[in-house]
Amino acid sequence: MLKIAPSLLAADYLKLGEEIRRMAEAGVDVLHYDVMDGSFVPNISFGQGVAERAATCGLPVDAHLMIVNPEKYIEAFAKAGCEYITVHAEATNHLHRALQQIRAAGCKAGVALNPATSPECLRYVLGDFDLALVMTVNPGFGGQKLIPACVEKIAAIRRMLDEAGKDAIIEVDGGVNTQTAPMLMKAGATMLVAGSALYGAPDAKAFIDTIRAEYAEIGK
Ligand code: DX5
Ligand code: ZN
């Protein structure tokens, strides 16, 4: 089943609760929550306090930690009620340990890869993560254009998982819209993050329905 995840980064911050409910009513599955520290990425966003409030809105929260030393904050985001916690492979020297820490905290463990990072870094942790997040833009900002060279990474990860007899969600983040979604789903993506395109859509439900219909068509 395809999961669609709006990125709260693109919401109106003065009315976050309303912005989350608007997406829940439109039919999304998960709330994507971008955490930026001004160090791993140039931008700063929101922390565990806002995540805790967001988690009360009823959607599972998918915390995408774009921060250095992510291990330091795993416990805090787990306590905030996040269901998925994703760390960047580039942000930790001990990816295997960080993934174990996430699962020990009771959450689903994710690994994110920057556009220039090889999917090979997942080979020795297959089975230790529940989700691989393929960044299709350089992390730090919403509203960027998808980098086409990243798309083949989705299929490479799906192949690697299949060959090892493992399964995981493949999430794609960056420049997702109704035009780019079909190729991402064809390549094997099972969770799509959409920020500016979804929050900016005149009809969020129509946006979601279009992508789901396309996914059903691909599965035929
Ligand atoms: C980028 C974030 C994304 C971002 C996506 O660093 O990880 O989740 O919000 O925004 P769009 O969909 O506008 O590219
Ligand atoms: Zn993100």
Side-chain angles (χ1 to χ4, degrees):
M1 225 275 278
L2 177 75
K3 290 186 196 301
I4 300 183
S7 166
L8 201 60
L9 198 66
D12 180 341
Y13 300 163
L14 270 186
K15 34 183 186 177
L16 285 182
E18 211 177 294
E19 288 281 75
I20 296 169
R21 279 188 294 277
R22 179 161 81 83
M23 288 298 146
E25 280 159 19
V28 301
D29 306 282
V30 170
L31 180 71
H32 187 78
Y33 187 80
D34 288 305
V35 184
M36 304 179 178
D37 64 353
S39 185
F40 182 70
V41 290
N43 205 0
I44 297 178
S45 61
F46 13 59
Q48 61 271 39
V50 177
E52 191 175 351
R53 299 295 297 136
T56 64
C57 291
L59 287 170
V61 177
D62 165 35
H64 175 194
L65 303 187
M66 288 164 275
I67 61 176
V68 296
N69 298 321
E71 296 87 346
K72 250 175 96 177
Y73 292 94
I74 288 169
E75 200 61 41
F77 282 94
K79 278 210 179 93
C82 298
E83 180 157 331
Y84 302 86
I85 298 181
T86 296
V87 296
H88 267 263
E90 308 84 2
T92 175
N93 289 325
H94 303 289
L95 180 58
H96 179 264
R97 184 185 294 158
L99 294 173
Q100 287 188 316
Q101 211 182 318
I102 296 170
R103 284 184 170 173
C107 300
K108 295 189 178 107
V111 188
L113 306 180
N114 279 339
T117 301
S118 165
E120 268 307 306
C121 68
L122 299 177
R123 187 169 296 282
Y124 301 103
V125 289
L126 294 171
D128 295 308
F129 60 84
D130 305 287
L131 176 157
L133 193 170
V134 176
M135 288 303 306
T136 40
V137 297
N138 287 298
F141 304 95
Q144 304 179 76
K145 268 186 83 168
L146 180 139
I147 302 167
C150 302
V151 178
E152 67 173 49
K153 212 189 285 185
I154 302 166
I157 295 170
R158 183 56 72 203
R159 253 193 324 271
M160 216 188 282
L161 285 163
D162 286 347
E163 282 164 14
K166 308 280 184 198
D167 194 20
I169 293 169
I170 302 186
E171 180 176 18
V172 178
D173 186 5
V176 176
N177 54 42
T178 48
Q179 276 78 53
T180 56
M183 69 173 167
L184 304 171
M185 297 187 290
K186 275 182 200 139
T190 51
M191 194 192 289
L192 296 179
V193 175
S196 49
L198 180 47
Y199 269 103
D203 183 346
K205 187 174 181 310
F207 180 102
I208 292 160
D209 291 348
T210 303
I211 292 182
R212 287 208 202 279
E214 191 71 47
Y215 186 74
E217 206 48 50
I218 290 165
K220 277 182 194 161

